[in-house]
């Protein structure tokens, strides 16, 4: 009734003046609808509202705020108000239909809230309202509503979530088309709700799913809907049962959208299950569903859910799961079209070629790709395979190659006969896979090959067989094994049998093989059968054991009686053997030879008459590869035949072997040598009797070609039977004079007999050296020159070819000739050592004999012959060039001692120079020192401390015995660089001493050529002055003296030395050495620089600064510093002139006289030192006479001092005073008594030595003074001390007597003395003169 009234009311709204009353009508109806007391009144008012809005137009909803008021009532009113508002919304939606959809979105929150209301009537009204709204929604409306409902589902409030579930359930009321679009989103949300913690949420989800199940139209699904719902609510326990129910159901009707929405979550859960059965069922259903839906488009929304799961199961470890998943993907592609899956095939190819994927994943991807290609049709398959998959067969990554082969594993059986067009294209990929370095790739390739043979072998044997036969001849044994396996599969399939396992020798196996052989002959034809069986029999002799085993198994499968079959296929087999022998492939040649031997063993006399002529003809007609193969085959035939069988054909065989031994090709001759060895083992010595004489005759032939061939043949025989033949051949070849042909023959023979020829070195080496020595003397004879060249070639060949075991004997024999009396033999022995080094350099097997080589060559450096010296130099050059310097450095001590011993012998033997200058002849020739230099340089730069010391000292010794002429500028620079570089390192003092000494020698020898190195030298020597070692400092001072003649900038050096002597230099640190020691060394160096380079000073303050430093330090507490400072003062005064000297002496000597007695011993010592040093210089004679008299008085006082140190300095100084006297004789008479007191035996030894030193100064400055009557007294006293004093005193007075008697200029000084002396003194002087003084070379009184 209410509905009818509402229908009439809506039509009346446009009649009369009703339009003016709309607002009042709506207000009354809204009030009654919301606040009405009875259900009927509220329901009727709702009808009225819908009728008024319908009649007045949709705009009235907004104009009169109808929707807003209804929304407020739904959310905040009483239960009856909410119910009334829901009635109005329901009826508005019903009456307005699609026009009301925009307002549904606005009212949705209110509707959701009503679902969770506490009042049952409100909830019932909300359910009815939402159901009606959903049934009226268009597709666009569903899209608008769905996001809001799903968002509400994600709210944490359980009531809101429950309300959204109710609304999702209400979507079952949607139209079929809208239902199909929304269910893929609805059902997953509802199943998600089953895991909610709130029971009401779960129960609401169950109810919602039941609502959806009610609209399922498929009767089969309806019948199992309860099982499916159980799987959704309890997936862990009910999924498998639901899948089984689906599989067992026979579908007679199409599956609709609601059915899909229930099935897909179950399948989704099944694909993710752990158990293989569940995944297998789920994958099976996934593939089949597509064929049972009415509209495949209904299934498309579920693909984003199912496809990832199917991809996952496609890569499952269980093969069955992968297989079903692949078929499912194929079914889906077939049903929905490949365009539906744009990313699927690229993903499969990517997985197939990925590095991260394993074999399982690649296998699954290959299976899936195969099914998709099959679903796409033959054209797509061929296109993809040829353009995308097969080109990857040679990809550098093993995983990619494996993926290609997995596709070839599954595609033949899946594609069926349509695969025949791809066989030719896929076979190369299979074969290359069989030879792959990766084992997994090889296994997959073999699997793919077996699949191909099984599925297409019979139909396409003509395509497959040639490839397998080629595989049997492949270089890679893995391809041969795989080819045999596949050939066995193919032949067993063609013969209707299985490949034999084990021995296969039973009667059943033989009968089965007989039947298979007949069947194969029928299928393949006679010619093909012979060819295949011949290839198979050849494989039985393969070099790889696994190939042989496989070939035997296949052979036994298809051959029942081997000898009979061999006779049948013999002609074809021999052709193949000859072809293999001539292939040039060493492995195939060996296989063919073995096979030939095997045939001879099995068939014996039946086959020899057929084989040997074939081999002979092939030798004479074939190329070099054929001739090699013939030798291999013949060797096997001989080895496998009896002596009786061989003797029947001996004439033919000997001729063939002899011709092969003389072949031009090295490999043919090598193979022929093996053949000769086999023949000798079978026949014995008769072989030598048949072959060797003919070759010897050929070697003496005048025909060069015949001679060369005979020599090659003899060399080949010697390579295998050298022990028997060498004693017979060597004497004949070495017969004097050695001819060119014999020399060349010996060189060739040495190559073939390297491991035995050294036994005969005691005759070979002396003969070769003697021949070269005799021939080299001839200058103009061309024939002799050619003979010399041939002998030298032979010598080099012998040295090069000898085995390592013979090197020791070789060097020993050569070394024994280095000391020969004959100059030419010594020269050629040195040359022989040179070629030994050169020819054995690459093998480096003579290093143990290097000391012997060094000994012999170094001893020849003192040879009297210039030719021997040159030969020695060349040999030493070869030694330093071809033997690493680090190896030679190990012998540096030996080299040094050897040279020292040799030089010593040369000096002191009869006719030697003694202590005079000795120059070693071997070093005093152009580049004489060059071979030894790298050894010493290596030792200096990289050796340990001992090696460095030895190297540096040894280098200095070499420089001493080398003339300046041969120490040219560039050569000295080579020596200098390493020494300067290494001297600054942290070396022990002994190393530094040796280096500095050697640098000093280089300066002495080099002179101006080393001017560019002066700064480095100077820096090095100055730095050495601070060394902790006293000897290093002394050597550095000496070296600075040698450097001064080359130095041009003395001023900076003087400045640095002055600063160091005063302890102000940055180079001086107490840690490096004691400060006193450094100051002493620096002052000594400064004195040396002033003495030898002072005249080069350019700055006016340089000399005065030195003088001031001397003045400051002459009163130092250390006596060494005082002495050195006085030395600096002396040389500075000499440079500054007499006036400066007078001032210094006045200040430091004369002015001290009044306080002398009270002065310290240090002051007195300093005074004496200054006097000695100033007066010793050239300006000593220019000192003012008054100052001179004062000096004389002061020194006489100091000679009587209590301190021995003062007396020592005074006695030395008195010698300088006497030396500067204008009247030396009267001064000597006045002072001789005082001086004689210092010579008293009771005086301290050091004082006695000081007196001798002073007298040396006097004798130097006043020559002849001590050969007068006035000097006789002191001379006799000195003679007494020289004869009877302590040894150190004796040495000092020996020096004085040498100077006093002027021994260096002859015996005139002695005669003068003898004229004045008494008999006893004269006798004594004669004795000491003859025994001691004449042996003294010189006396240096500069210190």
């Amino acid at each position: 009734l209410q509905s009818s009234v509402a229908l009439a009311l809506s039509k009346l709204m446009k009649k009369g003046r009703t339009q003016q009353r709309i607002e009042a009508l709506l207000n009354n109806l809204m009030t009654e609808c919301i606040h009405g007391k009875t259900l009927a009144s509220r329901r009727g008012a709702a009808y009225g509202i819908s009728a008024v809005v319908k009649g007045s137009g949709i705009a009235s909803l907004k104009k009169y705020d109808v929707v807003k008021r209804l929304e407020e009532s739904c959310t905040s009113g009483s239960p009856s108000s909410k119910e009334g508002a829901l009635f109005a919304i329901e009826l508005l939606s019903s009456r307005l239909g699609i026009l009301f959809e925009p307002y549904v979105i606005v009212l949705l929150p209110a509707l959701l809230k009503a679902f969770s209301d506490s009042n049952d009537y409100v909830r019932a009204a909300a359910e009815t309202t939402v159901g009606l709204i959903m049934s009226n929604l268009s597709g666009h409306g569903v899209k608008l509503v769905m996001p809001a409902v799903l968002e509400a589902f994600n709210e944490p409030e359980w009531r809101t979530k429950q309300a959204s579930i109710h609304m999702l359930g209400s979507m079952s009321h949607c139209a079929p088309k809208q239902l199909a679009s929304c269910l893929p989103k609805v059902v997953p949300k509802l199943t998600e709700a089953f895991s909610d913690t709130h029971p009401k949420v779960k129960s609401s989800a169950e109810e919602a799913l039941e609502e959806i199940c009610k609209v399922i139209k498929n009767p089969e699904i309806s019948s199992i809907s309860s099982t499916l719902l159980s799987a959704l609510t309890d997936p862990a326990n009910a999924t498998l049962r639901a899948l089984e129910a689906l599989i067992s159901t026979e579908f007679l009707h199409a599956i609709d959208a609601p059915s899909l929405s229930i099935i897909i979550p179950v399948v989704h859960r099944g694909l993710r299950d752990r158990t293989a059965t569940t995944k297998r069922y789920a994958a099976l259903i996934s593939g089949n569903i597509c064929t049972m839906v009415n509209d495949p488009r209904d299934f498309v929304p579920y693909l984003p859910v199912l496809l990832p799961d199917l991809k996952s199961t496609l890569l499952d470890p269980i093969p069955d799961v992968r297989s079903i998943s692949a078929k499912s993907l194929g079914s889906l592609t077939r049903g929905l079209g490949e365009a539906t899956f744009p990313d699927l095939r690229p993903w499969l190819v990517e997985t197939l070629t990925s590095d991260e994927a394993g074999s399982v994943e690649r296998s699954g991807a290959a299976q899936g790709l195969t099914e998709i290609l099959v679903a796409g049709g033959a054209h797509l398959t061929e296109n993809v395979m040829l353009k995308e998959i097969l080109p990857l067969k040679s990809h550098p990554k093993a995983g990619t190659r494996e993926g290609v082969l997995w596709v070839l594993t599954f595609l033949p059986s899946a594609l069926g006969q349509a695969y025949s067009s791809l066989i030719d294209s896929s076979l190369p990929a299979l074969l290359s896979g069989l030879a792959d370095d990766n084992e997994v790739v090889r296994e997959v390739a073999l699997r793919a090959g077996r699949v191909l043979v099984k599925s297409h072998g019979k139909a396409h044997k003509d395509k497959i067989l040639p490839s397998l036969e080629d595989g049997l001849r492949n270089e890679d044994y893995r391809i041969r094994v795989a080819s045999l396996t596949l050939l066995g599969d193919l032949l067993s399939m063609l013969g209707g049998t299985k490949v034999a396992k084990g021995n296969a020798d039973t009667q059943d196996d033989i009968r089965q093989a007989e039947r298979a052989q007949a069947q194969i002959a029928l299928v393949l034809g006679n010619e093909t059968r012979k060819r295949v069986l011949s290839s198979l029999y050849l494989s039985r002799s393969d070099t790889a054991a696994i190939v042989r085993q496989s070939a035997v198994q296949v052979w036994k499968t298809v051959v029942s009686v081997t000898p009979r079959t061999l006779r049948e296929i013999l002609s074809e087999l021999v052709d193949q053997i000859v072809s293999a022998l001539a292939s040039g492939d060493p492995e195939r040649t060996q296989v063919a030879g073995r096979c030939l031997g095997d045939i001879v063993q099995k068939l014996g006399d039946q086959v020899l008459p057929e084989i040997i002529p074939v081999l002979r003809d092939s030798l004479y007609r074939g190329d070099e590869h054929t001739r090699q193969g013939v030798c291999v085959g013949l060797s096997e035939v001989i080895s496998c035949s009896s002596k009786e069988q061989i003797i029947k054909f001996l004439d033919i065989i000997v001729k063939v072997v002899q011709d092969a031994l003389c072949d031009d090709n090295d490999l043919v001759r090598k193979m022929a040598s093996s053949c000769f060895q086999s023949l000798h083992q079978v026949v014995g010595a008769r072989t030598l009797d048949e072959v060797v004489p003919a070759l010897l005759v050929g070697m003496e032939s005048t025909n060069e070609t015949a001679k060369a061939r005979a020599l090659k043949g003899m060399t080949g025989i010697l390579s295998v039977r050298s022990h028997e033949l060498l004693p017979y051949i060597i004497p004949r070849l070495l017969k004097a004079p050695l001819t060119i042909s014999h020399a060349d023959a010996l060189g060739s023979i040495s190559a073939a007999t390297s491991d035995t020829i050294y036994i005969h070195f005691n005759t070979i080496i002396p003969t070769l050296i003697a021949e070269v020595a005799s021939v080299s003397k001839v200058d103009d004879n061309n024939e002799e020159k050619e003979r010399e060249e041939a002998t030298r070639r032979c010598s080099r060949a012998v040295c090069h070819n000898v085995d390592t075991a013979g090197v020791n004997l070789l060097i020993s024999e050569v070394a024994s000739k280095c000391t020969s009396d004959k100059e030419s033999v010594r020269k050629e022995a040195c040359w022989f050592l040179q070629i030994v080094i050169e020819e054995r350099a690459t093998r480096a097997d003579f290093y143990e004999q290097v000391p012997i080589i060094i000994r012999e060559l170094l001893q020849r450096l003192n040879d009297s012959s210039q030719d021997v010296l040159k030969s020695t130099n060349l040999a030493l050059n070869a030694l330093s060039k071809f033997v690493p310097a680090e190896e030679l450095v190990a012998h540096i001590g030996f080299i040094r001692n050897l040279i020292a011993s040799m030089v010593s012998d040369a000096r002191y033997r009869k006719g030697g120079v003694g202590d005079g200058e000795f120059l070693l002849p071997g070093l005093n020739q152009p580049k004489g020192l060059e071979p030894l230099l790298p050894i010493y340089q290596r030792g200096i730069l990289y050796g340990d401390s001992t090696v460095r010391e030895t190297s540096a000292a040894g280098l200095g010794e070499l420089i001493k015995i080398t003339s300046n002429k041969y120490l040219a500028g560039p050569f000295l620079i080579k020596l200098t660089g390493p020494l300067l570089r290494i001297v600054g390192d942290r070396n022990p003092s002994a190393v530094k001493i040796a280096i500095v000494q050697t640098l000093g020698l280089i300066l002495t020898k080099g002179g101006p050529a080393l001017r560019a190195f002066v700064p480095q030298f100077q820096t090095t020597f100055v730095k050495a002055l601070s060394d902790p070692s006293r000897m290093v400092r002394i050597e550095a001072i000496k070296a600075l003296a040698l450097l001064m003649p080359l130095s041009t900038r003395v001023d900076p050096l003087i400045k640095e030395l002055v600063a160091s002597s005063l302890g102000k230099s940055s180079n001086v640190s107490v840690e490096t050495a004691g400060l006193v020691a450094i100051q002493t060394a620096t002052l000594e160096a400064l004195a040396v620089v002033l003495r030898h380079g002072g005249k080069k000073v350019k700055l006016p303050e340089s000399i005065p600064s030195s003088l001031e430093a001397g003045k400051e330090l002459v009163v130092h507490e250390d006596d060494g510093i005082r002495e050195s400072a006085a030395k600096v003062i002396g040389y500075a005064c000499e440079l500054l002139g007499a006036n400066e000297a007078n001032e210094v002496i006045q200040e430091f000597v004369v002015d001290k006289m009044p306080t002398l007695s009270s002065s310290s011993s240090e002051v007195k010592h300093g005074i004496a030192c200054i006097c000695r040093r100033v007066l010793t210089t050239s300006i000593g004679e220019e000192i003012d006479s008054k100052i001179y008299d004062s000096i004389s008085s002061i020194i006489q006082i100091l000679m009587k001092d209590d301190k021995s140190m003062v007396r020592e300095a005074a006695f030395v100084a008195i010698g300088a005073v006497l030396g500067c006297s204008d009247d030396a004789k009267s001064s000597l008479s006045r002072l001789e008594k005082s001086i004689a007191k210092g010579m008293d035996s009771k005086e301290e030894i050091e004082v006695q030595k000081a007196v001798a030193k002073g007298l040396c100064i006097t004798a130097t400055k006043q020559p002849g003074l001590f050969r007068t009557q006035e000097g006789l007294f002191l001379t006799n006293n000195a003679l007494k001390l020289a004869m009877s004093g302590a040894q150190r005193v004796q040495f000092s007075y020996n020096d004085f007597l040498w100077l006093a008697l002027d021994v260096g200029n002859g015996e005139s000084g002695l005669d003068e003395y003898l004229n004045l002396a008494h008999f006893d003194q004269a006798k004594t002087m004669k004795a000491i003169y003859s025994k001691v003084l004449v042996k003294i070379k010189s006396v240096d009184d500069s210190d």
Side-chain angles (χ1 to χ4, degrees), residues 92-343:
L92 282 169
S93 177
S94 173
R95 197 164 297 278
L96 297 176
I98 196 170
L99 296 175
F100 192 66
E101 273 187 11
Y103 300 99
V104 171
I105 305 303
V106 178
L107 294 169
L108 198 58
L111 293 172
L112 288 170
K113 194 170 183 181
F115 265 114
S116 58
D117 198 86
S118 57
N119 189 278
D120 293 340
Y121 296 110
V122 175
R123 292 199 300 276
E127 188 172 343
T128 305
T129 303
V130 169
L132 184 64
I133 290 173
M134 292 300 172
S135 63
N136 290 330
L137 279 179
S138 64
H140 180 69
V142 170
K143 290 179 183 178
L144 292 174
V145 170
M146 186 64 70
V149 177
L150 295 178
E151 185 179 350
F153 180 84
N154 294 325
E155 291 291 328
E157 174 63 38
W158 70 270
R159 290 183 183 276
T160 308
K161 188 176 288 189
Q162 184 185 23
S164 67
I165 289 171
H166 280 301
M167 186 162 284
L168 289 173
S170 300
M171 288 188 175
S172 62
H173 300 286
C174 289
K177 188 175 179 181
Q178 281 71 40
L179 184 64
S181 66
C182 69
L183 283 179
K185 296 179 182 177
V186 170
V187 175
K189 283 294 179 183
L190 294 178
T191 54
E192 188 182 326
F194 289 135
S195 59
D196 200 89
T197 54
H198 202 283
K200 290 190 176 181
V201 173
K202 288 201 281 189
S203 63
S204 299
E206 290 181 16
E207 292 171 4
L209 277 176
E210 288 173 0
E211 286 292 323
I212 291 173
C213 286
K214 289 177 183 177
V215 297
I216 291 174
K217 296 178 181 179
N218 183 285
E220 290 85 10
I221 297 298
S222 295
S223 64
I224 59 170
S225 60
S226 57
T227 306
L228 295 174
L229 287 177
S230 299
L232 294 175
T233 55
D234 185 13
N237 299 316
T239 300
L240 180 58
R241 191 167 62 252
L243 293 172
E244 289 173 343
L246 281 168
I247 288 174
S248 60
T249 301
E250 185 179 350
F251 287 91
L252 301 176
H253 301 83
I255 298 176
D256 56 351
S259 302
L260 273 179
S261 68
I262 300 299
I263 294 171
I264 295 302
V266 178
V267 173
H268 173 57
R269 175 65 180 80
L271 289 171
R272 296 194 169 196
D273 200 82
R274 291 184 178 180
T275 60
T277 305
T278 307
K279 286 190 280 190
R280 191 165 58 247
Y281 287 168
L284 186 61
I285 293 167
S286 301
N288 292 337
I289 280 180
C290 188
T291 62
M292 295 184 286
V293 293
N294 233 351
D295 186 353
R297 287 176 295 179
D298 291 345
F299 189 66
V300 172
Y302 297 100
L303 287 178
V305 176
L306 287 182
L307 202 55
D309 296 331
L310 281 172
K311 287 181 179 179
S312 177
T313 54
L314 185 65
L315 310 181
D316 195 84
I318 299 169
D320 200 19
V321 174
R322 296 199 300 272
S323 176
I324 294 174
S325 300
K327 291 183 185 303
S328 296
L329 285 173
S331 299
L332 291 174
T333 306
R334 195 178 290 106
L336 301 176
E338 192 178 0
T340 312
F341 309 94
D343 299 326

Side-chain angles (χ1 to χ4, degrees), residues 976-1017:
T976 307
L979 290 168
L980 288 173
R981 190 155 64 248
I982 204 70
V983 71
D985 292 353
R986 295 190 176 186
N987 291 309
S989 57
V991 178
K992 291 183 179 178
I993 291 167
I995 293 173
V996 174
Q997 285 176 340
T998 304
L999 286 171
L1001 278 170
I1002 290 172
L1003 281 170
T1004 305
K1005 294 276 187 177
L1010 296 172
R1011 198 177 298 279
F1013 282 95
V1014 167
Q1016 292 96 313
F1017 275 112

Side-chain angles (χ1 to χ4, degrees), residues 436-685:
D436 202 273
D437 293 334
N438 188 285
E439 186 177 357
V440 177
V441 176
R442 295 197 300 272
E443 289 175 358
V444 178
L446 181 58
R447 183 172 179 173
R450 301 188 90 155
V451 169
L452 178 63
V453 168
K454 185 178 179 181
S455 57
H456 296 83
K458 283 186 178 180
H460 299 95
K461 58 182 179 298
D462 295 336
K463 289 184 177 181
I464 297 173
L465 258 179
S467 297
L468 297 182
E469 289 180 72
D470 290 341
L472 294 179
R473 295 187 290 271
N474 198 279
E475 293 178 0
D476 196 314
Y477 80 95
R478 292 182 289 242
I479 287 188
R480 299 200 296 274
V481 172
S483 298
L484 274 171
T485 304
L486 298 178
L487 183 61
D489 291 348
L490 181 58
L491 292 178
S492 61
M493 184 173 66
L494 295 176
T497 183
K498 292 183 179 178
V499 177
K501 304 293 182 184
N503 291 329
D505 292 334
T506 64
Q507 288 299 318
D508 289 340
D509 292 329
I510 293 171
R511 283 194 293 271
Q512 194 172 5
E514 188 74 31
R515 287 194 298 271
Q517 191 171 0
Q519 184 66 24
I520 289 169
L522 188 64
V523 174
L524 295 181
N526 194 39
E527 292 301 320
T528 305
R529 168 182 166 273
K530 285 182 179 181
R531 190 183 72 243
V532 171
L533 289 180
S534 297
S535 300
L536 183 58
Y537 194 81
L538 262 173
S539 298
R540 289 180 49 152
S541 302
D542 199 272
T543 53
I546 188 171
V547 178
R548 296 197 298 272
Q549 291 168 5
S550 300
V552 168
Q553 295 299 327
V554 177
W555 179 265
K556 288 181 177 180
T557 302
V558 296
V559 174
S560 55
V561 182
T562 297
R564 184 185 69 194
T565 306
L566 280 178
R567 284 192 292 271
E568 291 173 1
I569 66 171
L570 186 59
S571 59
E572 174 65 28
L573 181 56
V574 170
D575 288 344
Q576 288 198 18
I577 288 172
V578 172
S579 175
L581 289 172
S583 64
D585 181 358
E587 195 168 347
R588 285 191 64 199
T589 304
Q590 185 180 355
V591 170
R594 283 183 181 179
C595 184
L596 198 55
D598 187 47
I599 296 171
V600 170
Q601 279 185 328
K602 285 186 169 61
L603 301 180
D605 291 337
Q606 301 175 28
V607 75
L608 281 177
E610 187 171 340
I611 288 176
I612 288 179
V614 171
L615 294 177
R616 179 191 59 195
D617 295 343
S618 298
L619 179 74
Y620 295 128
R621 297 174 187 171
D623 60 6
E624 60 187 43
H625 298 304
T626 305
R627 299 198 298 274
Q628 292 172 30
V630 166
C631 292
V632 173
L634 190 57
S635 179
E636 290 290 341
V637 168
I638 294 169
S639 300
C640 297
S641 301
S642 65
K643 184 175 181 180
E644 292 74 17
Q645 290 172 332
I646 293 300
I647 288 174
K648 291 179 184 178
F649 300 93
L650 189 59
D651 292 340
I652 297 175
I653 293 174
V654 165
K655 178 61 176 167
V656 169
V657 170
Q658 183 176 323
D659 288 342
L661 282 168
C662 300
D663 199 273
D664 293 331
N665 185 270
D666 292 340
L667 287 174
V668 174
R669 294 198 301 275
K670 184 178 179 182
M671 301 296 181
S673 300
S674 300
C675 189
F676 179 87
Q677 177 79 335
S678 301
L679 188 61
H680 187 274
Q681 288 172 352
V682 175
V683 179

Side-chain angles (χ1 to χ4, degrees), residues 689-703:
D689 297 337
E690 293 281 349
V691 177
V692 173
L695 293 177
L696 286 173
V697 170
M699 288 173 64
E700 299 297 332
S701 172
T702 55
N703 186 311

